[in-house]
Amino acid sequence: MDHTKTYMITGANRGIGLGFTRHYLQQGHRIIATHRNDSKELMALQTEFPSHLILITMDVLLAASIQQAFTNITSAVTHIDVLINNAGRYGSDQATITKKLDIEDMAITFRTNSLAPLLITQYALPLLQKGNDKKVIHVSSKMGSITDNTSGGAYGYRASKSALNAINKSLSVELAKENITSIVMHPGWVQTDMGGKNAAITTDEAIQDLTQTIDRFTIEHTGGFFERTGETIPW
Ligand code: NAP
């Protein structure tokens, strides 16, 4: 029996997205890796896994780029088993109420972190319907938990991830009719460009936990907000 799955991962050129891509390639799966910019690490994976890695250019901020990407994806694969909406940004605003708020920057963060995953999921739907696993994983953040917010500030990033969580809840209700599981996850505080060098865990540690937990998810978990190890996070 063929256990090869088709994963689509956004923001695959660095950080957690690159980690997911490398992990699933090493497991023998087929990956649609979308990226706005190239990276030498992603190019090296293409050299190592030429028949399993499909590279697709996609800027998640641009609707036309998402549309063109899916034209290319649809001509390359028949289905998607697992979509991982990973691409995200923190934004340049270190917003606190006493500093000047950069509203334009926050709008870009909201578009990237909240609206793009919704649009990408809509484009991916016909391919997910033909998949076997039928999972959508949004890489959210505990900073989007309203209950967990004890330090304040970070208005753009926090609100964008809370919005992603709300969007996922609606998606989960609609997609349950298609037997598609839709989840939001916190990857941990991870040593990437976003998380910084002092973050608590390496990308490899995050990916090991995330991938094991994603494997365990079933339709019973749909709509939930989970730690990388599977514990529920309060909204
Ligand atoms: P990262 O190292 O900064 O990587 C961000 C990725 O998102 C890059 O591949 C980047 O591509 C991509 N991206 C951003 N804007 C894009 C756009 N408009 N179009 C296409 N790709 C775009 O961050 P990371 O730590 O790997 O974060 C991955 C996800 O985890 C994010 O959703 C983040 O919010 C979440 N997260 C991370 C942490 C952490 O501690 N690291 C904690 C909680 C949640 P470019 O190279 O083209 O910019």
Side-chain angles (χ1 to χ4, degrees):
M1 197 173 155
D2 183 10
H3 294 290
T4 307
K5 295 181 192 173
T6 301
Y7 290 84
M8 172 172 167
I9 299 158
T10 68
N13 56 313
R14 59 190 170 99
I16 294 169
L18 178 68
F20 271 125
T21 302
R22 183 178 289 121
H23 172 89
Y24 287 128
L25 284 169
Q26 287 168 347
Q27 301 288 308
H29 298 297
R30 182 165 55 164
I31 312 300
I32 303 155
T34 78
H35 58 104
R36 169 176 60 177
N37 290 302
D38 287 336
S39 71
K40 61 179 188 319
E41 291 86 355
L42 197 55
M43 296 308 132
L45 287 177
Q46 172 136 80
T47 306
E48 198 178 344
F49 301 97
S51 60
H52 282 66
L53 178 57
I54 300 163
L55 295 182
I56 301 280
T57 305
M58 181 167 83
D59 184 336
V60 307
L61 270 174
L62 305 174
S65 176
I66 296 174
Q67 186 178 27
Q68 182 57 53
F70 273 94
T71 302
N72 298 339
I73 291 166
T74 305
S75 63
V77 298
T78 55
H79 67 280
I80 294 171
D81 290 304
V82 183
L83 164 64
I84 302 181
N85 275 314
N86 161 79
R89 79 191 293 267
Y90 191 82
S92 62
D93 78 286
Q94 298 295 322
T96 69
I97 199 60
T98 53
K99 289 186 188 154
K100 185 177 184 305
L101 297 171
D102 188 343
I103 297 296
E104 294 310 321
D105 189 76
M106 288 186 200
I108 295 170
T109 303
F110 188 72
R111 215 181 151 101
T112 305
N113 294 356
S114 327
L115 303 181
L118 175 62
L119 189 58
I120 290 165
T121 304
Q122 184 177 56
Y123 273 109
L125 189 52
L127 293 166
L128 284 163
Q129 285 165 331
K130 293 183 200 141
N132 298 311
D133 250 30
K134 299 188 193 294
K135 288 177 190 166
V136 180
I137 308 295
H138 304 282
V139 183
S140 184
S141 171
K142 228 180 197 170
M143 287 184 73
S145 167
I146 294 168
T147 309
D148 193 62
N149 183 355
T150 52
S151 51
Y155 290 92
Y157 187 73
R158 284 190 188 281
S160 74
K161 294 296 190 180
S162 302
L164 174 61
N165 294 355
I167 283 169
N168 181 62
K169 179 64 196 180
S170 276
L171 270 175
S172 71
V173 173
E174 291 207 85
L175 296 182
K177 296 167 197 141
E178 311 270 356
N179 205 31
I180 297 172
T181 300
S182 192
I183 300 276
V184 270
M185 292 185 83
H186 172 63
W189 184 26
V190 190
Q191 291 160 16
T192 63
D193 292 338
M194 189 186 293
K197 287 194 294 291
N198 296 327
I201 53 170
T202 64
T203 305
D204 284 351
E205 287 167 326
I207 292 299
Q208 193 174 354
D209 288 339
L210 285 164
T211 52
Q212 283 176 11
T213 305
I214 290 169
D215 269 353
R216 289 199 301 271
F217 284 141
T218 68
I219 196 73
E220 307 295 319
H221 299 93
T222 201
F225 183 19
F226 296 102
E227 299 273 9
R228 68 181 190 282
T229 41
E231 295 84 6
T232 297
I233 301 172
W235 299 112

